[in-house]
Amino acid sequence: MLRGMRKASSNWLGKIIMATVMGFLIISFGIWGIADIFRGFGQSTLAKVGHTEISANEFRQLYTEKLQQIGRQFGRPLTMDQARAFGFDRQVLQQAIAEAALDEEARKLGLGQSNDETMRMIFNDPNFKGVGGAFDPARFQAVIRQFGFTEQRYVADQRRVSLRRQIAGTVSAGLEPPNVLIEALSRFQNEQRSIEYVKLDAVQAGTIDPPSPETLAGYFDDHKTQFRAPEYRKISFVVITPEDIGKWSEVSDEEARKIFEQRRDKLGTPERRQVSQIVFPNVEEALAARNRIASGLSFDDLAKERGLNPTDVDLGMVAKSAIIDPAIADAAFTLPSGEVSQPAQGKFGAALVKIGKIEPGAEPSYESVASSLKKEIATGRARASVATLHDKMEDERGGGASVIEAAQKLGLAAVTIDAVDRSGRLPNGQLAANIPPGLDVVSQAFGSDVGVDNDPIQFNGGYVWYDVLGITPSRERSLDEVKDQVEAKWRDDQIASRLRAKATEMVQKLDQGGNFADEAAASGLKVETANGFRRDASLPGLPASVVETAFRTPKGGVGQTAGGANEWIVFRVTDVSVPPVDLASEDIKKLKETLRRGLTDEQLAQYVTKLETEIGTTINQNAFAQATGANN
């Protein structure tokens, strides 16, 4: 299995999945710990944790949802075979078992959450808020239905999630990464290097004579696979999303203006002021201090007298809504710049308020936001229509209608593409322009066949139905069909070979003590520099391989790497530096938080593994293999 995973992770998709797949899990559990407890039992139950059973259907639904999430994230679907190669099937099972173990522990500890608290969490979820910013029942129903939940099931699920978080928070409370680790990672991340470099291009390769017919034919024979005509498919599809349906609705100015008035403050930019305050125990002391200011004492000197630091006094550049105490807010936003208020009786005492810089607010006109508001209103209305059209479309498809026939009957616009390859390109090499951005209908079509009744794809809060209408198999092209492409590729290979040889020769001379500027001048090259870049830098005009290679090269060392098309880079590392670590900086605080999350995940993984052992976990291997496609 390890060999298979290494092989799978060698391509682009494997690297992405192996690096990010755990981000899709609710909790990251780093230890499997139950690989030796598989044994067979009833097919309806896939796993059992204590008294909690995970049904095969329940796991299959969870597994399918996770695969779809990854497909949407990376713009192409993840097949069952790929998922198993990456170990994703076991990670999802691990998640389900871990959640069940936490649920068992919550019951054992007697933890609970009231219906009122659960509903409060749901009502405050921004995913369920409508145009006016309030909880929208229709939106709630549409969203949970899209992910396969009933209302009862979703509420119960959120209650369980909340209880799991209570346990996780208790287990991980107080974890702090050691400063030694923070400093080591900071030095690694913030190490900086500087290089001087030259770019060898086609000019340095010299004149390349056209290839003889025999040479070109031989080259073509050796590289035929690069010039094959790809497989093409003819597909049709229809898109039903709230945004598309919302275009059919007409929203009046009266409706849009109503929302505009409700959200005027949020749509505009509020006035902000630099506010400082000094709080006194009572109005009498505040008034005496105000009289001293009127007699010439500065506000800052008064603060120093009272032993206050600037951070104790300065509230920063804030909007009125950001000041918690209404009395202080009113005083601050009625004064001109540079003035000190009379005593204002707030919740925490009597305060003197001083105003510094004032940034005027900006209120948008209705006209500037009318179109976006109307679109938002129309889209919100259309969510209910999506569910209705979904059912009608499924009825038509169930009756044997093709996507085009069903779309015509329902008054929807179907799209037909006569020929498209796996990359979404037409035979002329151009990307298919009539596929909405983010819609992965091409990969789905290449995983299907002519005459197959495909399940709809979830997309932008709606659905996409598609049919494969025809398949043009991949084939070998003749040399006459692609002669220009073959000759261009042969020439590029010749240039690359010559540049690599020249770069290697230059590096050898520099390693033997040659001067970088002299060697560059001898080849007619211009020396350029890149200074103070880190490992994650993107250097203008240079490929990422330059940064990667430079950080493997010692100070004074020389390296080379391929550049862009018909280009090669030779460089010398001129400086290596590591900035001092400031444990109080914002960057270090972010790094510390990242490490804390990692420690939390590890601590929680150990805790859950212990729970699984104590509670007892069994897994139906046959049901697991069937749910993940291993038996297909």
Side-chain angles (χ1 to χ4, degrees):
M1 179 177 176
L2 291 176
R3 184 168 61 252
M5 290 181 67
R6 282 195 294 270
K7 181 179 178 181
S9 63
S10 65
N11 58 39
W12 70 269
L13 184 57
K15 292 175 181 176
I16 291 175
I17 297 298
M18 296 302 290
T20 65
V21 71
M22 290 306 286
F24 293 100
L25 305 182
I26 294 175
I27 305 172
S28 297
F29 298 101
I31 303 172
W32 178 241
I34 57 174
D36 58 346
I37 60 174
F38 280 83
R39 61 176 181 266
F41 46 85
Q43 288 298 311
S44 62
T45 300
L46 188 141
K48 189 173 181 180
V49 184
H51 298 292
T52 299
E53 291 188 353
I54 302 172
S55 71
N57 287 336
E58 180 184 357
F59 177 79
R60 186 180 295 108
Q61 180 178 1
L62 173 64
Y63 188 59
T64 302
E65 288 171 356
K66 295 299 182 183
L67 292 184
Q68 290 175 346
Q69 287 178 22
I70 292 180
R72 288 192 293 269
Q73 180 77 11
F74 299 116
R76 62 181 64 192
L78 184 69
T79 67
M80 290 285 194
D81 290 340
Q82 289 172 327
R84 288 194 303 277
F86 301 139
F88 184 65
D89 53 345
R90 293 213 168 206
Q91 289 182 3
V92 176
L93 179 60
Q94 180 183 357
Q95 174 195 354
I97 290 173
E99 290 173 355
L102 288 172
D103 292 343
E104 283 283 306
E105 183 69 1
R107 281 190 288 272
K108 177 181 175 182
L109 295 174
L111 299 181
Q113 180 169 283
S114 68
N115 288 333
D116 289 343
E117 176 61 18
T118 304
M119 296 309 296
R120 185 193 66 78
M121 292 170 53
I122 293 174
F123 286 154
N124 290 332
D125 190 329
N127 293 306
F128 304 139
K129 292 185 178 180
V131 176
F135 178 78
D136 184 346
R139 180 180 177 86
F140 168 71
Q141 292 291 344
V143 171
I144 66 172
R145 183 168 54 247
Q146 179 182 344
F147 289 95
F149 284 99
T150 63
E151 180 176 331
Q152 184 178 7
R153 180 189 163 206
Y154 184 79
V155 171
D157 182 75
Q158 291 305 293
R159 183 181 289 110
R160 289 194 297 270
V161 169
S162 180
L163 296 181
R164 292 170 199 154
R165 287 172 179 166
Q166 290 182 39
I167 297 174
T170 302
V171 170
S172 60
L175 285 176
E176 291 292 334
N179 286 344
V180 172
L181 176 61
I182 295 172
E183 291 176 359
L185 285 175
S186 176
R187 286 193 293 270
F188 179 82
Q189 290 181 351
N190 295 316
E191 179 183 338
Q192 297 179 356
R193 300 206 169 199
S194 298
I195 61 171
E196 56 182 355
Y197 65 92
V198 292
K199 292 182 178 181
L200 287 75
D201 56 26
V203 174
Q204 279 71 48
T207 302
I208 297 178
D209 296 326
S212 67
E214 294 75 18
T215 299
L216 194 63
Y219 181 85
F220 175 70
D221 287 339
D222 292 338
H223 299 82
K224 274 187 175 181
T225 56
Q226 298 182 27
F227 303 101
R228 285 183 65 91
E231 177 183 322
Y232 289 102
R233 298 206 168 195
K234 181 177 182 179
I235 63 174
S236 63
F237 63 90
V238 62
V239 179
I240 299 178
T241 67
E243 185 174 353
D244 291 320
I245 297 175
K247 296 175 182 177
W248 306 345
S249 303
E250 292 185 0
V251 178
S252 67
D253 282 321
E254 181 181 357
E255 293 174 287
R257 281 188 183 277
K258 183 178 179 180
I259 300 299
F260 174 74
E261 294 300 331
Q262 292 174 354
R263 298 166 60 181
R264 183 188 291 268
D265 293 340
K266 296 180 181 179
L267 293 171
T269 302
E271 176 185 325
R272 302 195 326 148
R273 295 183 169 212
Q274 184 73 40
V275 180
S276 302
Q277 69 168 3
I278 300 176
V279 181
F280 298 84
N282 51 61
V283 174
E284 289 74 18
E285 288 189 34
L287 184 59
R290 178 66 178 80
N291 291 335
R292 292 181 64 199
I293 289 176
S295 299
L297 179 67
S298 73
F299 190 87
D300 292 340
D301 288 341
L302 176 62
K304 291 177 182 178
E305 281 187 9
R306 301 185 67 81
L308 299 174
N309 295 321
T311 54
D312 300 326
V313 175
D314 188 10
L315 300 184
M317 183 68 70
V318 295
K320 187 175 182 179
S321 60
I323 301 177
I324 299 175
D325 196 321
I328 304 302
D330 290 340
F333 278 79
T334 54
L335 290 172
S337 178
E339 288 292 320
V340 178
S341 72
Q342 293 296 326
Q345 183 60 56
K347 294 180 179 179
F348 308 104
L352 297 182
V353 179
K354 181 182 178 182
I355 303 303
K357 182 181 177 182
I358 297 177
E359 293 180 354
E363 185 174 302
S365 65
Y366 167 73
E367 290 71 21
S368 66
V369 296
S371 60
S372 60
L373 287 177
K374 288 183 177 182
K375 180 179 179 181
E376 186 177 346
I377 294 169
T379 301
R381 287 177 180 171
R383 289 191 178 94
S385 300
V386 167
T388 301
L389 284 170
H390 169 273
D391 294 342
K392 290 182 178 180
M393 191 74 180
E394 285 292 278
D395 288 343
E396 294 296 329
R397 297 282 284 152
S402 68
V403 165
I404 294 176
E405 291 168 345
Q408 289 174 344
K409 188 168 183 178
L410 298 177
L412 301 171
V415 175
T416 299
I417 303 177
D418 290 328
V420 63
D421 67 14
R422 291 179 183 273
S423 67
R425 297 183 180 276
L426 306 176
N428 62 8
Q430 300 297 313
L431 287 171
N434 45 1
I435 300 177
L439 174 58
D440 185 32
V441 68
V442 172
S443 293
Q444 297 281 2
F446 271 83
S448 182
D449 207 339
V450 176
V452 173
D453 185 6
N454 304 293
D455 292 331
I457 305 169
Q458 293 183 0
F459 174 66
N460 285 356
Y463 303 90
V464 178
W465 287 264
Y466 66 96
D467 277 339
V468 178
L469 304 179
I471 299 176
T472 302
S474 173
R475 64 177 179 84
E476 286 189 356
R477 291 183 173 122
S478 67
L479 177 57
D480 290 339
E481 289 181 86
V482 289
K483 184 177 180 180
D484 290 344
Q485 298 175 38
V486 175
E487 187 167 348
K489 184 66 171 60
W490 176 87
R491 185 176 185 278
D492 287 343
D493 285 356
Q494 294 299 306
I495 292 174
S497 178
R498 292 191 185 186
L499 293 181
R500 187 184 299 110
K502 285 184 174 293
T504 300
E505 180 184 358
M506 185 175 181
V507 168
Q508 290 173 347
K509 290 180 178 179
L510 292 171
D511 284 338
Q512 294 169 2
N515 180 273
F516 198 90
D518 293 342
E519 294 298 331
S523 299
L525 300 171
K526 176 185 176 183
V527 178
E528 300 180 73
T529 60
N531 299 314
F533 57 87
R534 304 195 314 181
R535 296 176 191 272
D536 57 354
S538 297
L539 301 179
L542 292 175
S545 59
V546 170
V547 176
E548 182 181 347
T549 308
F551 273 89
R552 295 200 304 264
T553 306
K555 182 177 180 179
V558 182
Q560 60 170 307
T561 183
N566 296 331
E567 185 179 76
W568 208 267
I569 312 293
V570 176
F571 66 87
R572 184 175 71 87
V573 177
T574 58
D575 186 51
V576 177
S577 63
V578 181
V581 179
D582 179 6
L583 293 175
S585 68
E586 288 301 317
D587 286 342
I588 292 297
K589 290 178 181 177
K590 292 177 182 177
L591 175 60
K592 187 175 182 180
E593 182 57 33
T594 299
L595 291 172
R596 184 184 292 114
R597 286 197 297 269
L599 290 174
T600 297
D601 290 344
E602 184 177 352
Q603 181 92 338
L604 191 56
Q606 295 177 16
Y607 176 76
V608 170
T609 300
K610 181 175 181 292
L611 285 181
E612 291 170 0
T613 302
E614 292 178 348
I615 294 172
T617 303
T618 54
I619 300 172
N620 183 338
Q621 186 177 14
N622 291 332
F624 174 67
Q626 186 174 6
T628 57
N631 286 345
N632 296 339

